[in-house]
Amino acid sequence: MKRIGIDVGGTNTDAVLIDSTTVLGAVKSPTTADVMSGVVKSIEHLVQSHADAVHDLDAVMIGTTHFTNAVVERARLDRVAAIRIAMPASASLLPMVDWPADLREAVNPLRFMVEGGHEYDGRPLVPLDKDAIQDAAMQIRDAGITAVGITALFSPLTAECELEAAEIVTSVLPEARITLSHRLGRIGLLERENVTLLNASLQSLGKKTVDAFRSALASVGIRAPFYLTQNDGTVVLAEVAAANPVYSFASGPTNSMRGAAFLSGRDEGMVIDVGGTTSDIGYLVNGFPREANNIVEVGGVRTLFRMPDLLPMGLGGGTIIDPNTGKIGPRSVGYRITEEALVFGGSTLTTTDIAVAAGLVEIGDKDRVRHLDRALVAKHLAGIHAMIEDGVDRMKTSAGDTPVIVVGGGAFLVPDQLEGVSEVIRVPHAGVANALGAAMAQVSGEVDQVFSGLTRDAAIAAAQEIATSRAVEAGADPKSISLVDAEDIPIAYLPGDARRVRARVVGTISRPRVRLVA
């Protein structure tokens, strides 16, 4: 299958063209301030260099930091209406109570607390107050808000309150973009509500981003279907991704991890992705990133939903080193490295300058760092290596040595020998592993739900059926779908042989080839 993979990072925008498992071309260019022009430039380079090969594309896969950046920057977010169906429980804690004040102010929430929801054993807490939902919907309409997040107590167990509330809101406000918490998060009320409201605040940005990417592709003559990468190392049709932008959080590092698995042929092991601004350390399990089983903060907001288990570090090729104190990072020159680093004629000491001075890599003009004291260079290198070793140790789940696959444009910062590492694996095309991971990604479907009144086998089969339908909706070929993993946990305090079942399936894309428009 012939695809283009693109990954937009904080420092570089990478693009690759692959045919099945063969890399036909790769481009790395600085990320531009407006992002889209950098994407266009990368694709133009591929089209110009591989004019014949770029025809008959199956798909374009894009990884973007748009949505994470919006949360971190407190920008481009919609005003949100939050409806929590849990009264009289949880009355003392309003929606977004634990959000940073500046982020809460950015979304300026209209919050409603409504009677309803369920107990932990599936019994109704109190009847749903439909009149209160109707009144809330009218207030939301009058306020001009279209982004709505609905969260009900124990909705992953039974979603009827959320579904009924959504029908009422839609009847009053047909144009509302509604996010239901049971489709995203897990049991914890506040964390599930948080990710629901983050998703609601990002949906219009999701649509704008997808439209902008579509225009960027069209401007270089590409009409192929395109997908956005997700935080589990898979992709989803762009239109589907626009409705659930939170699933693209942390998609950059997971692209790199999938690329590392592809390039190394390893399904198990640690991956260090060294970019221009940060490094991310993760672990491969069956060729996919290990999933986090605890709370993950996004922009200072506690969430509990599908996220990769990653350790980010403020260490990259553009990381600034203070010449006076010797402190390494966390600030970086980012995409301005070609202007500010010493080897490019700038005045800022970066980790790349240290690597060039030590003879680890040939970048820029090495004569510009000849004046650096050899002892100082060695000291800074030791500090960089100590940061990496500490990160590896923190990500281990056992005391033994583990293999490490190194990718990313700043991979030269990782030495060939590390404490606690059995081998350091270097791969071809390591600098564009993120784009490769995007290009060869499959489409996934996942479910994390509580089932009751079913046998264990029937519950797992039901979960797999739901996951399969979601994969097909996301753009997978039904005939190609296979089960990646499934697990079930009996819940003793619930009646009816209740159990929580998590299942994930993957499949190849089902879209027809589309030619490049001349």
Side-chain angles (χ1 to χ4, degrees):
M1 300 184 77
K2 195 177 293 184
R3 309 177 184 180
I4 287 178
I6 301 168
D7 188 272
V8 182
T11 303
N12 292 303
T13 294
D14 301 328
V16 298
L17 172 65
I18 68 170
D19 189 354
S20 295
T21 59
T22 303
V23 179
L24 302 179
V27 172
K28 180 182 286 289
S29 59
T31 295
T32 54
D34 66 347
V35 177
M36 291 302 166
S37 62
V39 171
V40 171
K41 185 177 180 181
S42 296
I43 298 174
E44 284 177 340
H45 285 166
L46 281 180
V47 172
Q48 291 167 4
S49 303
H50 304 83
D52 294 331
V54 101
H55 283 278
D56 294 323
L57 288 173
D58 290 286
V60 177
M61 315 325 217
I62 301 175
T64 178
T65 58
H66 268 64
F67 309 125
T68 306
N69 291 346
V71 176
V72 172
E73 296 168 10
R74 282 50 169 154
R76 305 179 298 283
L77 302 172
D78 287 342
R79 189 182 182 194
V80 171
I83 299 177
R84 181 194 292 170
I85 305 170
M87 291 288 282
S90 77
S92 62
L93 298 174
L94 287 171
M96 302 187 188
V97 65
D98 58 345
W99 286 36
D102 57 344
L103 181 56
R104 186 166 55 247
E105 182 180 343
V107 300
N108 188 19
L110 190 60
R111 297 176 281 192
F112 301 92
M113 308 275 278
V114 178
E115 289 188 350
H118 290 78
E119 298 276 12
Y120 68 89
D121 60 359
R123 291 180 292 115
L125 179 68
V126 294
L128 175 65
D129 190 340
K130 299 177 184 179
D131 291 337
I133 297 290
Q134 182 89 9
D135 181 63
M138 290 188 288
Q139 291 187 54
I140 294 167
R141 178 195 60 195
D142 294 343
I145 299 173
T146 57
V148 183
I150 301 177
T151 307
L153 196 63
F154 285 103
S155 62
L157 179 62
T158 173
E160 61 185 66
C161 284
E162 290 188 359
L163 295 172
E164 193 167 356
E167 288 183 6
I168 296 172
V169 172
T170 301
S171 69
V172 175
L173 191 63
E175 65 273 25
R177 299 185 305 276
I178 300 174
T179 301
L180 302 182
S181 77
H182 74 275
R183 295 178 178 169
L184 294 177
R186 297 174 182 164
I187 292 293
L189 176 67
L190 291 182
E191 292 80 13
R192 175 162 44 89
E193 181 178 64
N194 283 346
V195 74
T196 300
L197 298 177
L198 281 176
N199 193 78
S201 72
L202 289 165
Q203 281 186 323
S204 66
L205 177 62
K207 184 179 185 305
K208 291 175 184 176
T209 299
V210 166
D211 290 344
F213 277 129
R214 183 178 289 108
S215 297
L217 294 172
S219 70
V220 292
I222 292 178
R223 299 291 192 273
F226 77 100
Y227 299 69
L228 294 187
T229 60
Q230 298 192 102
N231 54 21
D232 64 349
T234 62
V235 293
V236 65
L237 279 169
E239 292 76 12
V240 178
N244 296 300
V246 293
Y247 279 151
S248 290
F249 289 167
S251 62
T254 56
N255 288 343
S256 296
M257 294 185 68
R258 288 289 287 150
F262 170 66
L263 292 168
S264 66
R266 302 284 186 104
D267 286 339
E268 305 281 338
M270 196 168 293
V271 177
I272 304 178
D273 174 26
V274 189
T277 304
T278 60
S279 293
D280 291 286
I281 303 179
Y283 210 96
L284 288 171
V285 178
N286 295 325
F288 287 87
R290 183 174 66 199
E291 189 174 325
N293 285 318
N294 53 5
I295 290 169
V296 176
E297 286 199 2
V298 180
V301 178
R302 290 161 53 90
T303 67
L304 186 58
F305 73 121
R306 186 190 73 200
M307 285 284 280
D309 186 10
L310 294 172
L311 176 65
M313 299 191 303
L315 176 66
T319 297
I320 297 171
I321 298 177
D322 189 321
N324 298 317
T325 64
K327 182 183 178 183
I328 302 170
R331 293 190 306 118
S332 170
V333 295
Y335 63 83
R336 301 185 307 278
I337 188 170
T338 54
E339 304 168 10
E340 298 192 19
L342 297 182
V343 291
F344 292 110
S347 58
T348 304
L349 179 63
T350 69
T351 52
T352 294
D353 298 317
I354 295 299
V356 172
L360 301 179
V361 64
E362 293 186 6
I363 298 176
D365 184 358
K366 63 182 179 181
D367 289 335
R368 296 182 180 274
V369 291
R370 289 190 185 279
H371 66 283
L372 295 178
D373 181 75
R374 298 297 97 186
L376 187 65
V377 169
K379 179 181 177 182
H380 290 324
L381 273 182
I384 292 169
H385 297 168
M387 289 177 66
I388 296 170
E389 288 177 344
D390 179 63
V392 169
D393 191 56
R394 290 171 62 186
M395 285 299 292
K396 282 184 176 181
T397 56
S398 61
D401 291 352
T402 184
V404 167
I405 309 164
V406 185
V407 295
F412 53 81
L413 294 177
V414 181
D416 290 330
Q417 292 186 333
L418 286 168
E419 188 72 27
V421 172
S422 59
E423 61 175 323
V424 174
I425 303 166
R426 302 189 186 275
V427 295
H429 307 295
V432 291
N434 47 7
L436 278 168
M440 49 75 65
Q442 295 173 289
V443 182
S444 73
E446 185 175 10
V447 64
D448 184 349
Q449 187 173 317
V450 176
F451 295 85
S452 61
L454 299 173
T455 65
R456 177 179 182 273
D457 290 343
I460 293 175
Q464 186 173 349
E465 184 177 349
I466 295 171
T468 298
S469 67
R470 291 178 179 177
V472 172
E473 179 187 356
D477 180 352
K479 297 178 181 178
S480 70
I481 291 175
S482 61
L483 182 67
V484 175
D485 55 63
E487 64 177 3
D488 69 297
I489 304 172
I491 305 177
Y493 54 78
L494 295 183
D497 194 25
R499 62 188 63 248
R500 174 188 175 189
V501 182
R502 297 171 60 186
R504 180 167 57 158
V505 301
V506 296
T508 58
I509 61 174
S510 63
R511 308 293 284 187
R513 287 191 172 196
V514 180
R515 289 184 62 83
L516 180 75
V517 177

